[in-house]
Amino acid sequence: MDAQVAYGFHQLRDEKPFLASGPLSNKLIYAGYTCKQGWFFTQCISDPELRGLTNIIRLSIKKMDSSEWEHIPVPSSVRAIVALNLHNYASGRNPWGNLKPEYLEKKGFVEAQSDDGLLEIFGLKQGWHASLVMVELISAKHIAQAAAIRLEIKGGQWRDAYMQMDGEPWKQPLSTEYSTFVDIKRVPYPSMIISGADR
């Protein structure tokens, strides 16, 4: 859902750059898109399938040092899935939060580090929940930590899905007959800077 809002904003900025000319106007435009998109009025949507991702997405992960995909249920209230390899999201926020050791142990998580090779996967329920997460009053809905993620978007009435990476949104075309798969994983390219290679 946040990717759809970001996509709308980027389209508007490309077509009418004079409207998105400063921080205040940008925030107002974002707020307008979130209201238009329905993120703040999830419960008012009549079709239950539109209220969450559980009916259209299957999430699988690979844990560190594992070659097997493991299915992870998506909570029925989640309307946006986010995978981070940093602490920062949405202008420096930390939606994963600083979790207590007891909670980490109970959930089977480890403390989030930017260099541990793990992605933190969490969900946002709707606009009100996302707003409280962004001001760091609460943390997001923790789903998993993984070395790789596979999203299966089931075929059906959807023609495209909104996605974003590093703040760049796009529409992912979908087949109405077949599932679409999106894999997110670390690619082990060696660093020429760290290794001191001359190229």
Side-chain angles (χ1 to χ4, degrees), residues 56-187:
I56 59 173
I57 282 186
R58 179 178 167 94
L59 171 66
S60 300
I61 65 167
K62 277 187 187 177
K63 293 188 176 176
M64 194 67 80
D65 301 323
S66 174
S67 60
E68 299 295 321
W69 288 105
E70 175 187 342
H71 171 65
I72 301 292
V74 176
S76 60
S77 59
V78 167
R79 298 187 73 207
I81 293 176
V82 181
L84 291 182
N85 67 342
L86 304 169
H87 294 296
N88 297 334
Y89 176 75
S91 301
R93 307 301 190 271
N94 181 9
W96 184 257
N98 297 312
L99 308 179
K100 295 181 178 177
E102 306 83 44
Y103 180 82
L104 291 170
E105 186 177 345
K106 177 182 172 187
K107 292 287 191 176
F109 297 152
V110 296
E111 185 178 345
Q113 301 291 332
S114 58
D115 61 352
D116 60 5
L118 292 173
L119 297 164
E120 279 68 48
I121 308 158
F122 59 87
L124 300 172
K125 299 177 185 178
Q126 71 308 91
W128 306 112
H129 178 244
S131 298
L132 294 173
V133 168
M134 291 308 127
V135 296
E136 299 181 13
L137 290 176
I138 60 174
S139 58
K141 180 79 175 164
H142 302 113
I143 298 175
Q145 282 181 313
I149 305 166
R150 171 169 287 169
L151 295 172
E152 176 188 356
I153 307 168
K154 300 171 187 173
Q157 63 179 332
W158 308 98
R159 296 186 181 272
D160 44 50
Y162 293 93
M163 299 188 174
Q164 64 176 331
M165 180 179 289
D166 292 335
E168 296 296 326
W170 76 92
K171 276 187 188 179
Q172 179 69 40
L174 301 177
S175 167
T176 55
E177 297 178 33
Y178 306 104
S179 292
T180 299
F181 291 88
V182 177
D183 285 3
I184 303 169
K185 60 184 178 179
R186 182 174 61 168
V187 179

